[in-house]
């Protein structure tokens, strides 16, 4: 069957599912907003405990990354993302999901060739290395008493 590009495009458009863009945008706004509200709640709780703004920000980031990694591991983050779409790409939580997801998916291939290799491939070596290096640096500072 011969089709012109224009006929093929019309055919594809007739078969493609129509996306309710307004509904999708609303869901992304609500889910992304809820993630930010949780982050603000963590920040406010840390500030109320007497931490400085910088320390509270660090605590907030650590907790959000940890929650995102936990929800990804429990396969709940993907369920939230199905409804919230781009709203789940709030930078910190989306980053944690991007690192943890391939690690979980490829764990059967082994620690080095599966989990670690796929984390570096998907999330980007610079970002993953930077995160690991900063965590190691923090441990060194803690051990040496500089923190």
């Amino acid at each position: 069957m011969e089709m012109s590009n224009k006929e093929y495009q019309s055919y594809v458009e007739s078969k493609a599912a129509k996306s309710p863009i307004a509904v999708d945008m609303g869901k992304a706004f609500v889910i992304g907003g809820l993630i930010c509200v949780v982050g603000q709640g963590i920040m406010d709780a840390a500030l109320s405990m007497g931490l400085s703004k910088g320390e509270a920000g660090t605590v907030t980031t650590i907790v959000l990354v940890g929650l995102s990694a936990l929800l990804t591991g429990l396969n709940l983050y993907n369920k939230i993302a199905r409804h919230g779409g781009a709203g789940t790409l709030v930078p910190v939580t989306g980053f944690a999901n991007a690192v943890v997801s391939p690690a979980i998916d490829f764990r059967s291939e082994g620690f080095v060739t599966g989990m670690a290799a796929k984390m570096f491939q998907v999330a980007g070596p610079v970002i993953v290395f930077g995160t690991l290096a900063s965590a190691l640096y923090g441990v060194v500072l803690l051990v040496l008493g500089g923190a």
Side-chain angles (χ1 to χ4, degrees):
M1 175 180 195
E2 287 286 323
M3 283 187 166
S4 69
N5 285 344
K6 193 172 190 178
E7 290 172 327
Y8 179 73
Q9 186 63 32
S10 295
Y11 174 75
V12 169
E13 287 176 9
S14 72
K15 297 295 181 183
K18 304 298 183 235
S19 175
I21 193 159
V23 172
D24 290 347
M25 287 180 3
K27 287 179 179 179
F29 179 79
V30 169
I31 297 295
L34 287 172
I35 292 170
C36 292
V37 166
V38 168
Q40 188 63 52
I42 296 166
M43 178 83 147
D44 291 345
L47 288 170
S48 72
M49 292 180 201
L51 296 176
S52 70
K53 192 170 184 178
E55 293 168 335
T58 301
V59 167
T60 302
T61 302
I62 291 168
V63 171
L64 285 175
V65 167
L67 284 174
S68 179
L70 177 66
L71 291 174
T72 299
L74 296 173
N75 198 31
L76 295 175
Y77 199 89
N78 291 336
K79 290 177 183 178
I80 295 168
R82 270 191 225 120
H83 296 286
T88 59
L89 296 177
V90 175
V92 171
T93 57
F95 166 72
N97 177 260
V99 172
V100 174
S101 288
I104 291 170
D105 291 343
F106 294 96
R107 70 182 177 267
S108 63
E109 294 181 23
F111 182 74
V112 174
T113 58
M115 289 174 41
K118 297 303 179 186
M119 281 188 338
F120 281 99
Q121 181 181 358
V122 174
V126 174
I127 296 172
V128 175
F129 177 76
T131 303
L132 293 173
S134 64
L136 181 62
Y137 179 72
V139 170
V140 169
L141 278 179
L142 183 66
V143 169
L144 297 176

